[in-house]
Amino acid sequence: MSTPSSVTAVETARQGLCRMIATGELRCGDPLPSEAELCERLGVSRSSLREAQRMLTVAGALEAHPGRRCTVSTMGPSQILQGLEMVIPLLPLDRYLELLPLREVLEGHAAAQAAARLSDEERSRIVALARRLADLDPGPQAQRLDAEFHAAIIIGGQDPLIATLLEIMRRRGRDYHVFEEEAHRELKAVSDTAHLRIAAAISDRDAEGARFLAMEHVRVTRTWLEGIRPGPVLFEA
């Protein structure tokens, strides 16, 4: 078990490294100074420094390179969100539901951006995906096509940070299968109608209509999850 002094030393090292990155002393891609230099500067042992570096690597701030010094990461979406990527797939339903208001806003924004930015060919593809999905019965193929439909919209929003965050959140959402249960199979038709309406708004370049419909779709999904409370069945794309 760690002693209070060792915890303090690790935190001292972590804060020191964070200050060097936050002030711009160390920039994206820069290697860290040598262990000896950092230990002397921060007043910590090598073991405390290495633990602090490990913590910042897990958080996405540093990148480890076997046999070489750690470097400051690019701070891109995949790096800064990798902590969430590890935790969100583990959330129980009640905790996941707490994320749905944020997902609602972000999906609305992505749909509005997609309506404004996508090419004619890309918008036609989204409409085609919605129609194909509506023709499928609940099951793995429909799950995969649903993921593809929403990914096309989210990526079409052309905001990598929001796209990465939404993909992490939606990945856990796909573990809760509502339509496959016999008592709730009719709900897929409601979902299919929502998809078709969202696709039509994007096709018409109706950004605000797409925003409203995408947000409404997430709100309805949240209502289903709260009422049905399905158990998670891990989804593999």
Side-chain angles (χ1 to χ4, degrees):
M1 180 179 295
S2 299
T3 64
S5 60
S6 67
V7 172
T8 300
V10 171
E11 182 60 16
T12 297
R14 189 193 68 80
Q15 290 181 1
L17 292 171
C18 287
R19 279 194 297 272
M20 296 170 72
I21 296 170
T23 60
E25 179 181 348
L26 290 173
R27 301 180 183 277
C28 294
D30 285 351
L32 298 188
S34 68
E35 282 191 348
E37 181 181 342
L38 286 171
C39 288
E40 181 178 358
R41 175 173 173 176
L42 302 176
V44 298
S45 68
R46 287 178 183 266
S47 61
S48 296
L49 176 65
R50 289 171 181 171
E51 178 62 17
Q53 290 177 343
R54 187 192 67 79
M55 293 167 63
L56 292 177
T57 300
V58 171
L62 297 179
E63 292 183 350
H65 307 284
R68 296 188 291 122
R69 299 178 190 175
C70 288
T71 58
V72 180
S73 80
T74 61
M75 302 290 183
S78 61
Q79 283 84 21
I80 64 177
L81 293 174
Q82 70 181 32
L84 286 176
E85 189 171 11
M86 295 171 64
V87 173
I88 287 181
L90 310 178
L91 293 178
L93 180 59
D94 286 334
R95 285 287 176 260
Y96 178 70
L97 288 171
E98 292 173 355
L99 297 176
L100 269 290
L102 174 59
R103 179 178 147 187
E104 178 183 325
V105 173
L106 294 180
E107 291 214 23
H109 173 77
Q113 294 292 88
R117 295 177 175 179
L118 287 180
S119 66
D120 290 346
E121 181 180 355
E122 290 166 328
R123 289 184 290 121
S124 295
R125 175 173 176 260
I126 288 174
V127 172
L129 286 170
R131 289 173 177 168
R132 285 170 53 200
L133 180 55
D135 289 337
L136 292 175
D137 291 330
Q141 187 178 356
Q143 281 270 74
R144 287 190 291 271
L145 200 60
D146 180 86
E148 185 177 351
F149 171 79
H150 286 285
I153 295 172
I154 291 166
I155 294 170
Q158 299 178 19
D159 189 317
L161 181 60
I162 289 178
T164 302
L165 180 54
L166 277 173
E167 171 54 26
I168 293 169
M169 296 170 72
R170 289 191 60 82
R171 193 177 304 150
R172 181 52 169 168
R174 292 195 293 267
D175 292 337
Y176 295 102
H177 300 183
V178 173
F179 308 140
E180 283 80 352
E181 296 184 18
E182 192 63 36
H184 309 297
R185 291 175 74 88
E186 77 282 357
L187 295 180
K188 182 178 181 296
V190 178
S191 180
D192 289 338
T193 298
H195 292 152
L196 290 165
R197 294 177 67 196
I198 293 168
I202 291 173
S203 180
D204 292 341
R205 296 197 182 278
D206 179 3
E208 290 310 307
R211 184 195 308 276
F212 171 80
L213 291 167
M215 293 177 70
E216 181 183 48
H217 185 44
V218 177
R219 283 195 297 270
V220 170
T221 299
R222 181 182 182 183
T223 300
W224 290 343
L225 291 174
E226 288 174 333
I228 298 170
R229 305 191 66 81
V233 178
L234 297 187
F235 173 79
E236 296 184 6

